[in-house]
Amino acid sequence: MAKSLVTLEKGTVCSAWNYCGQRLATGSGDGTLAVFDSQDPASSSSFTRTSKSRLHEDGIVKVVWVPSEYGDAVACICTEGNVSLWEEVKEDAQPLQWKLCKSFKSNSAKVLDIQFGISLRSLKMVAAYSDGHVKVYELLDCLELKNWQLQAEFQNVIESVFTFSKALCLSASISWNPQGGESQESSFVLGFNSDTPLLNSSKVWEFDPAHQRWLPVAELALPGDKGDQVYTVAWAPNIGRPYEVIAVATHKGISIWHLGLDPDLDGRLSVEKVALLSSHKGEVWQMEWDMSGMTLATTGSDGVVRLWQSNLNGAWMEKAAFEPTS
Amino acid sequence: MLAFSSASADGASSTGELVPFSSEARATAVFPLHHGLKPPISRLSISWARGNSLRVSFFRKPSGDDSDGDEFGGKVLEVRLSGGDGDMSDAQFRRIAYGSVSPFALLQSRRNSAVSLSKISSPYHVEWWEYVMEYSKDINSLLSDPKSLTSPAIEDPKAVLQKAEEPICLKAAWDVMEIFYADKQSQSWLPERLVDWLAAYNGLLSSTQATIHSQLISFQKELVTLQVIEDSPKYWEVLSAALAVGWLDVVVKMLRLHGSYQLDQIGNRETENGLVEAVAVLISKMPRLRPELQAGTLGECHRAKPDFIKAWEKWRAHITKLDCSAYWVRCDHDQTRKGLRNMLQIMLGNTNSLCTATCHWMELYIAHFLYIRPFTVGLESMYSLARKCMQLKPMTISHRLIQLLLGIIGDNTEVVLAECSRAFGPWMVAHAIELLASGSDQAETLLREEHYNLGGISIEELHRLVYAQVLSSDALTWQIAPIYLTSCIKQGMGLLEILLSKQPVQDVQILLKIAGVYHWKHGRKGSGVFWLQQARDEVRLNRIAQQLFDFVGQSISDESFKQWEGLIELLGSESKTAGGLEFLHKYRDFKKSLKQVNDGKTTDAAQQAVESLISLMKNPSTPQQFWLPILYDSLKLLSCQERPLLNVSETNLLLNKLQELSMAKLRPDFIEADLPPQALGSVRLALATNLGRAIVEE
């Protein structure tokens, strides 16, 4: 039932597949980026390592691919909390190699998570920091990954009067609406795992072109749960539903939220919590939606991979669990 | 969204099966994931790959020292989650998937045209059932195993069971659904259809329980070693069993193996043989309530119920008479006497005999139809009879086919859907829904109403989306997915977009083609042509150009003309189509100028039109088949009242063309233009008149 695709080297700590599942980028504790490619696109059964480069001294904790229309590039978050952007380029007579395009250095805070999104034809990168700040960077030239501009900086709070300078965040999770792109503004959802309750709950952020700023249009937490630390969030692809589906994981379990599409007079979107899934023991590490947005795959510290689906009556249930064995 | 099969490491356990979208709560299926790494695993990470494949990355925590040795640092596994019929190989599935596309697409296009043509709410008319039946038969033919064994040239007299093709479970399931939902014509003899069905597929049921089929198989093996067949109790058991389910030809064949037929025996065992033969004859004359029987099978067919009842009663009377005959006393062979009389009891519909003879409730059910209640109609009575048989002869493990049948007889569409999904997979559900929907109005409503919980789509659409996702999981089948997605009105395009966006760049040409065809078929012909040009799809562009030729010589509305014109513009004149599109461009110009003449706008228009005409007719790229239509179009020009518009040489040119045309008509491959019969005459007359006047002018 399960087929082995790639064997990873010692010290590998993270991996990410590109948009079509043909390339795998892995990061190691010693700062090495290794890329594996499929030899046979039709079967994608054999992957071999096509490059291995020691990017820096610092270990890589997360690798994120840049959307394919901007090139073959990855962003790496390292243990010290900086983000660097690397692109695979072919220059002059030299072979294909990974080159540094941009380094986002931050003095005090560490980057906890980054995600790329395409909004109104421009590439944006959202970065969440350990001091509770959120920065949105915009790519200025669509053919060059070097030039980025800081478009906005804010904190994950509904009322902007609150600012927290001494927040200590352990992790953050960002998920863009997969739909966004060419002709419209895209939104993303963001949650924190921090010691400051107001920062934690997942909020949906939308860009307001009139005032040139990002506004929180929804909060995905029930009144009693607003301070709960958020482990991870995932926005489901929408193939034609009249509402959006977003999954939010906290220590209480995984909540499935429905987000309305039409804003009310205040510009807010309606939210409804439709399920609480609580099979995972321990922390939920990652949640991924399948291409139709109907099946959610989750994994966590209990080491089990679970699949969830809703039935005809709208009730969400665990459909399968995969337990790793050696 | 996913249907999981039980193909886990622990083999064919039925506990691992799930029913997506059911309201029942079932325990979660647990599957092992063998990564082969030495623990501890420090982290997992997941990612969806094409369709329904899930990739899981395992990371080992390095121990820091060299105790790991050659251990890997981690592994990435891919799990395929498209379940369904675990018995089928990938190649088999692909063959069925490819083959199902045309029947499916044909039925959809027929429905679309039926809907657009109908002015009443229900688009279905008598023809619709025929279309569904055609669809069902097309799919059914796909499900026959191509590796079927042909019958041996020399028939083995001792071969009780003919070797037939090994059916697959999918075919059995499709068959039973066709019988109940699609085959409207045989509804009146449904019980006999079930007799045939069980005869064909009883072997499949042997996987979960004892069946008459398995009994026969094992007896056939013993047959070679038996000296005196009629002494074997198994012989008589098997005879009764086969008789009970209506396998009359097998029974008669076996009866004729009776020792009393042997030439050296027949002298002593006359009575015995007489009795055996009498039973054999009675069996072969059994009345059956059905229009026809396959060649070689026994029984007498009666279409109409009154005829059948008469024959039935007569037949039963014969059996009773034989049963009461004095000859039994003179039959020396105990087993023969007992065995034959038991068979008579079966034929008389003795419930106990039937119960003993059959192995499971389905066989008893069939026996009821044959010998007790041949005219059972209506699902309700069929269902209550089924329940009765289940009580008399319960099955310990229920085969998935039986579950399906129960759902069908129970008239429970949801159960049928759930069984299809659980036991036969997404392909089955996506394709069988058409059959289910034509079964009854309630079923149709259930399957086509929209559910908020599904995001506003119907169950029918949902299962097509699921199937499309399954198709997307394999590089060899993903191209079929768009065809199913285009029939999903609400969410098909969304999923198609995502599917296309996940294809690697090398497949771009296919994507462009798909985009082109999609736009063309959805009325956006301009976009379609544009995408096909990007894809450099010469084949389709040529085809489109050919379609444009159809317009020549037709009178078309302004709207259509504009569209036609636009397409010609797009296609450009570089297209390497038949004769080049140069002709179409000229024809377009000609038509435009003709229109101006008709509108009476400028006086120049007429002259321009004439020039266009001459240019067209002179041009070698103008296909001959269009000469007359073009000239007929220009009749008004040619018969201009004020003065002749064509000069002598021009008129002569046209006349020559007409002459050429008359010669060409004699050739066998000439294509007659679709014009009124007097067209040629009118044109000739107009030209002649013109010639006359032109000569005068000069």
Side-chain angles (χ1 to χ4, degrees):
Chain A
M1 202 179 178
K3 186 171 72 170
S4 174
L5 294 181
V6 190
T7 46
L8 307 172
E9 297 207 350
K10 280 190 217 172
T12 314
V13 292
C14 58
S15 67
W17 288 94
N18 77 338
Y19 76 103
C20 59
Q22 304 259 309
R23 311 194 78 186
L24 178 71
T26 64
S28 315
D30 65 355
T32 309
L33 174 76
V35 178
F36 297 79
D37 277 283
S38 165
Q39 297 312 303
D40 175 16
S43 66
S44 67
S45 54
S46 60
F47 286 84
T48 51
R49 197 189 64 207
T50 50
S51 75
K52 179 175 172 178
S53 3
R54 184 111 188 273
L55 304 183
H56 35 57
E57 298 290 313
D58 210 6
I60 302 175
V61 291
K62 185 164 181 173
V63 180
V64 179
W65 283 88
V66 171
S68 53
E69 53 262 61
Y70 291 90
D72 262 317
V74 296
C76 299
I77 305 180
C78 60
T79 38
E80 289 194 357
N82 295 319
V83 176
S84 52
L85 218 55
W86 298 80
E87 189 176 4
E88 196 180 45
V89 286
K90 192 166 174 21
E91 272 172 9
D92 306 323
Q94 289 178 333
L96 210 55
Q97 48 184 289
W98 288 86
K99 290 214 166 257
L100 178 66
C101 304
K102 173 79 182 172
S103 193
F104 297 87
K105 283 208 166 24
S106 75
N107 301 326
S108 46
K110 292 164 72 162
V111 171
L112 299 174
D113 192 20
I114 52 162
Q115 290 294 343
F116 291 101
I118 300 176
S119 180
L120 268 187
R121 271 175 249 217
S122 69
L123 181 65
K124 298 198 164 60
M125 184 180 87
V126 178
Y129 289 80
S130 55
D131 60 0
H133 282 251
V134 179
K135 292 188 187 172
V136 181
Y137 290 92
E138 189 173 356
L139 184 69
L140 294 172
D141 179 359
C142 58
L143 285 178
E144 284 286 338
L145 285 170
K146 297 188 170 64
N147 306 316
W148 294 80
Q149 188 184 66
L150 179 63
Q151 189 211 37
E153 184 171 349
F154 50 89
Q155 287 193 308
N156 192 33
V157 287
I158 296 283
E159 303 296 328
S160 52
V161 287
F162 295 111
T163 48
F164 304 93
S165 49
K166 289 262 172 60
L168 224 105
C169 309
L170 289 175
S171 68
S173 178
I174 305 163
S175 180
W176 282 86
N177 181 347
Q179 228 56 12
E182 300 297 304
S183 55
Q184 68 209 38
E185 287 289 352
S186 201
S187 346
F188 62 89
V189 62
L190 161 67
F192 273 91
N193 174 357
S194 77
D195 62 354
T196 314
L198 278 173
L199 287 178
N200 286 336
S201 68
S202 316
K203 287 140 192 113
V204 178
W205 292 89
E206 211 174 78
F207 190 67
D208 173 14
H211 298 97
Q212 286 292 302
R213 52 175 194 191
W214 289 86
L215 295 175
V217 293
E219 185 174 6
L220 304 178
L222 295 176
D225 305 330
K226 286 189 179 170
D228 290 346
Q229 287 123 340
V230 170
Y231 296 141
T232 179
V233 293
W235 197 313
N238 187 349
I239 54 175
R241 279 187 295 252
Y243 49 84
E244 298 286 345
V245 177
I246 303 177
V248 177
T250 63
H251 72 276
K252 288 181 181 155
I254 299 168
S255 318
I256 306 289
W257 290 85
H258 283 190
L259 183 74
L261 298 179
D262 302 313
D264 61 15
L265 293 167
D266 295 326
R268 295 279 162 88
L269 298 170
S270 62
V271 298
E272 187 192 345
K273 178 168 164 178
V274 298
L276 180 66
L277 318 169
S278 36
S279 302
H280 273 296
K281 302 172 192 44
E283 196 183 317
V284 176
W285 283 336
Q286 196 184 0
M287 301 193 289
E288 295 288 332
W289 290 95
D290 73 339
M291 66 191 286
S292 59
M294 297 201 215
T295 307
L296 179 66
T298 62
T299 183
S301 56
D302 59 2
V304 179
V305 177
R306 296 176 204 275
L307 295 171
W308 311 84
Q309 279 173 3
S310 134
N311 68 7
L312 274 180
N313 302 326
W316 281 84
M317 293 183 296
E318 185 179 350
K319 283 298 181 181
F322 294 88
E323 285 180 4
T325 64
S326 27
Chain B
M1 181 74 7
L2 310 166
F4 298 87
S5 70
S6 58
S8 54
D10 49 313
S13 75
S14 56
T15 52
E17 289 169 41
L18 307 159
V19 186
F21 301 102
S22 75
S23 354
E24 304 158 38
R26 283 186 187 222
T28 310
V30 179
F31 302 90
L33 262 186
H34 298 288
H35 52 71
L37 296 169
K38 199 169 99 179
I41 303 291
S42 60
R43 190 107 186 163
L44 271 87
S45 143
I46 48 180
S47 174
W48 289 93
R50 11 166 56 121
N52 285 341
S53 309
L54 186 65
R55 292 175 176 170
V56 186
S57 304
F58 295 92
F59 304 102
R60 271 190 84 243
K61 202 185 188 79
S63 57
D65 51 27
D66 283 329
S67 66
D68 289 336
D70 289 331
E71 261 313 307
F72 294 121
K75 222 181 229 196
V76 182
L77 295 182
E78 183 174 87
V79 186
R80 220 23 135 77
L81 297 170
S82 328
D85 201 342
D87 301 335
M88 241 192 324
S89 70
D90 277 353
Q92 233 181 336
F93 171 73
R94 278 197 293 273
R95 183 181 62 82
I96 293 174
Y98 291 145
S100 318
V101 173
S102 305
F104 178 83
L106 177 61
L107 192 64
Q108 296 315 309
S109 85
R110 279 173 164 163
R111 170 171 314 129
N112 291 340
S113 31
V115 168
S116 59
L117 284 175
S118 118
K119 292 168 185 66
I120 327 156
S121 55
S122 166
Y124 302 124
H125 39 94
V126 176
E127 261 178 42
W128 181 252
W129 309 128
E130 285 171 15
Y131 291 156
V132 175
M133 194 55 196
E134 192 183 319
Y135 164 78
S136 185
K137 288 229 167 318
D138 285 342
I139 302 262
N140 208 334
S141 63
L142 276 175
L143 300 175
S144 309
D145 192 345
K147 294 197 308 303
S148 63
L149 302 165
T150 51
S151 38
I154 303 166
E155 214 183 79
D156 179 357
K158 283 208 167 174
V160 171
L161 270 181
Q162 287 288 34
K163 277 193 180 184
E165 60 172 70
E166 301 260 314
I168 54 174
C169 224
L170 224 51
K171 185 169 163 64
W174 190 271
D175 253 345
V176 79
M177 285 193 283
E178 185 181 289
I179 292 172
F180 278 91
Y181 298 125
D183 200 347
K184 300 291 171 190
Q185 288 185 333
S186 45
Q187 290 300 305
S188 50
W189 50 286
L190 198 52
E192 281 279 347
R193 293 279 267 135
L194 281 177
V195 172
D196 289 346
W197 184 85
L198 186 67
Y201 302 115
N202 204 1
L204 288 173
L205 301 175
S206 307
S207 61
T208 48
Q209 55 245 307
T211 61
I212 291 173
H213 187 266
S214 50
Q215 264 189 311
L216 263 172
I217 299 272
S218 71
F219 179 69
Q220 186 155 298
K221 289 197 190 110
E222 281 185 32
L223 204 51
V224 268
T225 55
L226 277 178
Q227 296 289 10
V228 186
I229 296 181
E230 60 271 23
D231 280 348
S232 155
K234 239 196 174 157
Y235 173 69
W236 296 105
E237 275 170 29
V238 164
L239 269 174
S240 306
L243 179 62
V245 286
W247 301 358
L248 305 181
D249 40 336
V250 170
V251 175
V252 169
K253 198 166 173 193
M254 277 181 70
L255 272 177
R256 301 233 160 97
L257 292 177
H258 194 270
S260 63
Y261 283 97
Q262 285 173 21
L263 292 172
D264 59 341
Q265 304 268 333
I266 204 154
N268 310 346
R269 300 163 77 171
E270 257 181 36
T271 320
E272 203 181 315
N273 185 253
L275 286 166
V276 174
E277 182 62 23
V279 172
V281 167
L282 267 176
I283 290 172
S284 49
K285 292 206 183 301
M286 177 179 174
R288 309 283 290 265
L289 186 55
R290 56 191 294 157
E292 80 250 311
L293 273 167
Q294 265 187 324
T297 43
L298 299 167
E300 281 179 2
C301 300
H302 298 268
R303 268 181 190 271
K305 201 162 150 184
D307 289 341
F308 171 79
I309 294 176
K310 253 200 283 206
W312 175 260
E313 280 167 8
K314 215 162 136 189
W315 185 71
R316 300 264 281 221
H318 282 309
I319 301 174
T320 316
K321 194 161 146 205
L322 182 59
D323 199 30
C324 305
S325 150
Y327 285 107
W328 293 109
V329 180
R330 282 151 60 178
C331 175
D332 293 325
H333 196 240
D334 250 0
Q335 278 111 318
T336 304
R337 189 181 62 247
K338 288 200 182 113
L340 287 176
R341 293 198 84 168
N342 186 41
M343 286 167 79
L344 290 180
Q345 283 306 302
I346 287 176
M347 287 148 76
L348 286 171
N350 180 320
T351 320
N352 286 333
S353 310
L354 288 175
C355 250
T356 319
T358 52
C359 299
H360 55 80
W361 79 260
M362 184 75 198
E363 292 173 356
L364 180 58
Y365 191 52
I366 297 297
H368 259 83
F369 287 127
L370 284 168
Y371 303 108
I372 305 181
R373 294 160 58 168
F375 5 86
T376 309
V377 280
L379 280 179
E380 254 185 75
S381 54
M382 287 184 82
Y383 188 66
S384 51
L385 178 60
R387 289 226 81 93
K388 197 169 123 194
C389 293
M390 285 198 283
Q391 278 171 344
L392 287 170
K393 257 199 137 63
M395 271 177 176
T396 42
I397 312 167
S398 209
H399 193 279
R400 49 189 166 148
L401 283 174
I402 300 296
Q403 295 287 83
L404 178 65
L405 182 66
L406 269 179
I408 296 174
I409 307 177
D411 204 11
N412 192 331
T413 312
E414 279 156 332
V415 169
V416 175
L417 258 182
E419 280 308 314
C420 276
S421 182
R422 176 182 77 93
F424 301 101
W427 173 88
M428 177 59 97
V429 190
H431 291 86
I433 278 189
E434 290 292 350
L435 298 183
L436 284 173
S438 62
S440 68
D441 284 335
Q442 299 97 291
E444 198 197 333
T445 312
L446 179 78
L447 295 167
R448 297 201 166 127
E449 69 176 329
E450 290 166 2
H451 291 258
Y452 171 79
N453 285 323
L454 298 175
I457 55 173
S458 63
I459 295 181
E460 179 180 54
E461 184 165 330
L462 171 69
H463 284 104
R464 283 181 194 163
L465 292 169
V466 173
Y467 179 61
Q469 204 167 338
V470 168
L471 287 173
S472 317
S473 308
D474 189 335
L476 297 169
T477 51
W478 77 265
Q479 296 103 321
I480 323 176
I483 297 168
Y484 292 88
L485 291 174
T486 46
S487 74
C488 295
I489 348 168
K490 294 242 170 127
Q491 296 184 1
M493 281 311 109
L495 190 54
L496 180 58
E497 266 180 57
I498 295 179
L499 169 61
L500 294 178
S501 69
K502 288 196 188 294
Q503 295 307 316
V505 147
Q506 298 90 324
D507 293 348
V508 143
Q509 256 209 329
I510 311 174
L511 298 191
L512 297 173
K513 271 191 214 179
I514 295 176
V517 172
Y518 167 65
H519 284 294
W520 178 268
K521 290 196 179 205
H522 284 248
R524 290 186 290 279
K525 303 205 165 182
S527 304
V529 170
F530 171 73
W531 285 108
L532 288 173
Q533 283 174 324
Q534 298 305 306
R536 299 192 211 292
D537 191 344
E538 291 300 336
V539 174
R540 285 187 182 81
L541 288 169
N542 283 351
R543 180 72 190 80
I544 291 175
Q546 273 173 22
Q547 252 189 33
L548 296 179
F549 273 85
D550 291 342
F551 272 166
V552 175
Q554 307 281 348
S555 60
I556 48 182
S557 69
D558 280 339
E559 195 54 53
S560 310
F561 184 76
K562 274 213 191 78
Q563 193 186 63
W564 180 85
E565 224 193 327
L567 284 173
I568 295 182
E569 271 304 325
L570 264 181
L571 282 170
S573 47
E574 299 115 39
S575 179
K576 305 173 201 64
T577 48
L581 289 187
E582 204 188 320
F583 157 67
L584 282 181
H585 280 263
K586 287 204 191 306
Y587 183 74
R588 188 236 0 236
D589 294 337
F590 166 66
K591 280 295 259 195
K592 264 175 133 160
S593 44
L594 262 191
K595 187 168 185 306
Q596 283 188 329
V597 170
N598 284 341
D599 292 345
K601 291 231 170 86
T602 55
T603 45
D604 254 0
Q607 198 56 42
Q608 265 179 4
V610 166
E611 274 165 29
S612 255
L613 172 63
I614 298 299
S615 157
L616 251 182
M617 293 305 290
K618 265 191 178 161
N619 197 318
S621 72
T622 304
Q624 199 177 55
Q625 66 193 99
F626 295 131
W627 288 352
L628 191 52
I630 292 171
L631 288 171
Y632 189 63
D633 266 348
S634 352
L635 259 185
K636 194 169 174 190
L637 274 184
L638 300 173
S639 346
C640 177
Q641 292 301 346
E642 294 125 27
R643 55 181 196 85
L645 291 167
L646 300 148
N647 64 28
V648 175
S649 55
E650 284 167 347
T651 322
N652 271 324
L653 167 73
L654 294 182
L655 278 170
N656 284 336
K657 289 281 181 190
L658 272 188
Q659 186 63 14
E660 259 184 72
L661 205 57
S662 317
M663 299 300 294
K665 268 193 182 175
L666 303 170
R667 286 207 304 270
D669 56 344
F670 183 76
I671 309 163
E672 194 70 56
D674 188 20
L675 293 169
Q678 73 275 26
L680 183 57
S682 328
V683 172
R684 203 175 260 140
L685 182 59
L687 280 176
T689 320
N690 198 304
L691 182 62
R693 291 159 73 192
I695 290 176
V696 167
E697 287 237 330
E698 277 189 8

